[in-house]
Short mmCIF file of all heavy atoms in Angstrom, two decimals:
data_model
loop_
_atom_site.label_atom_id
_atom_site.label_comp_id
_atom_site.label_asym_id
_atom_site.label_seq_id
_atom_site.Cartn_x
_atom_site.Cartn_y
_atom_site.Cartn_z
N ILE O 1 -29.55 -26.60 -10.66
CA ILE O 1 -28.18 -27.07 -10.39
C ILE O 1 -27.25 -26.60 -11.47
O ILE O 1 -26.10 -26.15 -11.19
CB ILE O 1 -28.17 -28.60 -10.23
CG1 ILE O 1 -28.90 -29.03 -8.97
CG2 ILE O 1 -26.72 -29.13 -10.18
CD1 ILE O 1 -29.10 -30.50 -8.81
N ALA O 2 -27.68 -26.66 -12.71
CA ALA O 2 -26.82 -26.19 -13.83
C ALA O 2 -26.52 -24.72 -13.68
O ALA O 2 -25.44 -24.24 -13.95
CB ALA O 2 -27.55 -26.45 -15.18
N MET O 3 -27.51 -23.94 -13.22
CA MET O 3 -27.36 -22.49 -13.07
C MET O 3 -26.44 -22.13 -11.90
O MET O 3 -25.46 -21.39 -12.09
CB MET O 3 -28.72 -21.85 -12.84
CG MET O 3 -28.67 -20.33 -12.59
SD MET O 3 -30.26 -19.67 -12.02
CE MET O 3 -31.30 -19.96 -13.45
N ARG O 4 -26.71 -22.68 -10.73
CA ARG O 4 -26.06 -22.19 -9.53
C ARG O 4 -24.90 -23.05 -9.06
O ARG O 4 -24.01 -22.52 -8.41
CB ARG O 4 -27.07 -22.04 -8.39
CG ARG O 4 -28.17 -21.04 -8.71
CD ARG O 4 -28.96 -20.66 -7.47
NE ARG O 4 -28.08 -20.18 -6.41
CZ ARG O 4 -28.43 -20.18 -5.13
NH1 ARG O 4 -29.61 -20.68 -4.75
NH2 ARG O 4 -27.61 -19.74 -4.20
N ALA O 5 -24.86 -24.30 -9.44
CA ALA O 5 -23.73 -25.17 -9.03
C ALA O 5 -22.69 -25.29 -10.12
O ALA O 5 -21.49 -25.26 -9.86
CB ALA O 5 -24.25 -26.55 -8.61
N LEU O 6 -23.17 -25.45 -11.38
CA LEU O 6 -22.24 -25.68 -12.49
C LEU O 6 -21.86 -24.38 -13.17
O LEU O 6 -20.88 -24.34 -13.90
CB LEU O 6 -22.85 -26.66 -13.49
CG LEU O 6 -23.30 -27.99 -12.93
CD1 LEU O 6 -23.79 -28.92 -14.02
CD2 LEU O 6 -22.22 -28.67 -12.12
N GLY O 7 -22.65 -23.32 -13.01
CA GLY O 7 -22.33 -22.02 -13.58
C GLY O 7 -22.67 -21.83 -15.04
O GLY O 7 -22.12 -20.94 -15.66
N ASP O 8 -23.62 -22.60 -15.57
CA ASP O 8 -24.05 -22.40 -16.95
C ASP O 8 -24.82 -21.08 -17.04
O ASP O 8 -25.91 -20.96 -16.44
CB ASP O 8 -24.92 -23.56 -17.41
CG ASP O 8 -25.34 -23.46 -18.87
OD1 ASP O 8 -25.06 -22.43 -19.50
OD2 ASP O 8 -25.94 -24.42 -19.40
N PRO O 9 -24.33 -20.08 -17.79
CA PRO O 9 -25.01 -18.80 -17.86
C PRO O 9 -26.29 -18.85 -18.66
O PRO O 9 -27.06 -17.86 -18.65
CB PRO O 9 -23.98 -17.89 -18.51
CG PRO O 9 -23.17 -18.82 -19.38
CD PRO O 9 -23.07 -20.09 -18.59
N ASP O 10 -26.54 -19.96 -19.33
CA ASP O 10 -27.75 -20.06 -20.17
C ASP O 10 -28.78 -21.00 -19.58
O ASP O 10 -29.78 -21.33 -20.21
CB ASP O 10 -27.37 -20.54 -21.59
CG ASP O 10 -28.41 -20.17 -22.60
OD1 ASP O 10 -28.98 -19.05 -22.53
OD2 ASP O 10 -28.65 -20.98 -23.52
N ALA O 11 -28.57 -21.46 -18.33
CA ALA O 11 -29.57 -22.30 -17.66
C ALA O 11 -30.86 -21.51 -17.51
O ALA O 11 -30.87 -20.31 -17.28
CB ALA O 11 -29.06 -22.74 -16.33
N PHE O 12 -31.97 -22.22 -17.65
CA PHE O 12 -33.29 -21.51 -17.70
C PHE O 12 -34.33 -22.30 -16.95
O PHE O 12 -34.31 -23.54 -16.96
CB PHE O 12 -33.72 -21.30 -19.13
CG PHE O 12 -34.85 -20.35 -19.31
CD1 PHE O 12 -34.85 -19.12 -18.66
CD2 PHE O 12 -35.93 -20.68 -20.13
CE1 PHE O 12 -35.91 -18.22 -18.81
CE2 PHE O 12 -37.00 -19.79 -20.29
CZ PHE O 12 -36.98 -18.59 -19.63
N LEU O 13 -35.22 -21.60 -16.27
CA LEU O 13 -36.24 -22.21 -15.41
C LEU O 13 -37.65 -21.79 -15.83
O LEU O 13 -38.35 -21.10 -15.09
CB LEU O 13 -36.04 -21.83 -13.96
CG LEU O 13 -34.63 -22.10 -13.35
CD1 LEU O 13 -34.53 -21.47 -11.97
CD2 LEU O 13 -34.35 -23.58 -13.28
N PRO O 14 -38.10 -22.18 -17.00
CA PRO O 14 -39.43 -21.71 -17.47
C PRO O 14 -40.60 -22.21 -16.64
O PRO O 14 -41.66 -21.61 -16.70
CB PRO O 14 -39.45 -22.25 -18.92
CG PRO O 14 -38.60 -23.45 -18.91
CD PRO O 14 -37.50 -23.12 -17.93
N SER O 15 -40.39 -23.31 -15.90
CA SER O 15 -41.50 -23.84 -15.09
C SER O 15 -41.53 -23.28 -13.66
O SER O 15 -42.43 -23.57 -12.89
CB SER O 15 -41.39 -25.37 -15.03
OG SER O 15 -40.20 -25.77 -14.39
N ASP O 16 -40.51 -22.49 -13.29
CA ASP O 16 -40.45 -21.92 -11.97
C ASP O 16 -41.60 -20.97 -11.73
O ASP O 16 -41.92 -20.13 -12.57
CB ASP O 16 -39.12 -21.15 -11.78
CG ASP O 16 -38.98 -20.55 -10.44
OD1 ASP O 16 -38.58 -21.26 -9.50
OD2 ASP O 16 -39.27 -19.34 -10.29
N LEU O 17 -42.25 -21.12 -10.60
CA LEU O 17 -43.43 -20.32 -10.30
C LEU O 17 -43.14 -18.83 -10.33
O LEU O 17 -43.90 -18.03 -10.88
CB LEU O 17 -44.02 -20.69 -8.93
CG LEU O 17 -45.28 -19.95 -8.47
CD1 LEU O 17 -46.42 -20.17 -9.48
CD2 LEU O 17 -45.70 -20.40 -7.09
N GLY O 18 -42.01 -18.41 -9.70
CA GLY O 18 -41.64 -17.01 -9.70
C GLY O 18 -41.36 -16.47 -11.09
O GLY O 18 -41.75 -15.34 -11.41
N VAL O 19 -40.72 -17.25 -11.93
CA VAL O 19 -40.44 -16.85 -13.30
C VAL O 19 -41.74 -16.69 -14.08
O VAL O 19 -41.95 -15.72 -14.81
CB VAL O 19 -39.49 -17.86 -13.98
CG1 VAL O 19 -39.41 -17.60 -15.46
CG2 VAL O 19 -38.10 -17.79 -13.35
N ARG O 20 -42.62 -17.66 -13.94
CA ARG O 20 -43.91 -17.64 -14.69
C ARG O 20 -44.76 -16.45 -14.23
O ARG O 20 -45.40 -15.76 -15.06
CB ARG O 20 -44.68 -18.93 -14.49
CG ARG O 20 -43.93 -20.15 -15.11
CD ARG O 20 -44.71 -21.43 -14.86
NE ARG O 20 -46.04 -21.41 -15.50
CZ ARG O 20 -46.96 -22.34 -15.33
NH1 ARG O 20 -46.70 -23.37 -14.51
NH2 ARG O 20 -48.11 -22.26 -15.95
N ARG O 21 -44.79 -16.19 -12.94
CA ARG O 21 -45.55 -15.08 -12.39
C ARG O 21 -45.00 -13.73 -12.94
O ARG O 21 -45.75 -12.85 -13.35
CB ARG O 21 -45.53 -15.09 -10.89
CG ARG O 21 -46.40 -14.05 -10.22
CD ARG O 21 -46.24 -14.07 -8.71
NE ARG O 21 -46.62 -15.39 -8.19
CZ ARG O 21 -46.07 -15.94 -7.13
NH1 ARG O 21 -45.07 -15.37 -6.53
NH2 ARG O 21 -46.51 -17.11 -6.70
N ALA O 22 -43.67 -13.62 -12.92
CA ALA O 22 -43.04 -12.39 -13.43
C ALA O 22 -43.33 -12.21 -14.93
O ALA O 22 -43.60 -11.12 -15.40
CB ALA O 22 -41.56 -12.43 -13.15
N ALA O 23 -43.22 -13.31 -15.68
CA ALA O 23 -43.44 -13.24 -17.11
C ALA O 23 -44.86 -12.77 -17.41
O ALA O 23 -45.06 -11.93 -18.28
CB ALA O 23 -43.19 -14.62 -17.74
N ALA O 24 -45.82 -13.32 -16.70
CA ALA O 24 -47.21 -12.92 -16.88
C ALA O 24 -47.40 -11.42 -16.59
O ALA O 24 -48.11 -10.71 -17.31
CB ALA O 24 -48.14 -13.75 -16.06
#
């Protein structure tokens, strides 16, 4: 919500499955 609704450019989703898969 901070990322896409409020527009915080530094919002981060380290627990997101897609992010974790890409990081690995």
Side-chain angles (χ1 to χ4, degrees):
I1 291 173
M3 176 192 295
R4 297 194 55 202
L6 307 184
D8 184 353
D10 202 38
F12 193 48
L13 306 172
S15 62
D16 180 83
L17 180 59
V19 169
R20 295 178 63 187
R21 184 184 300 147

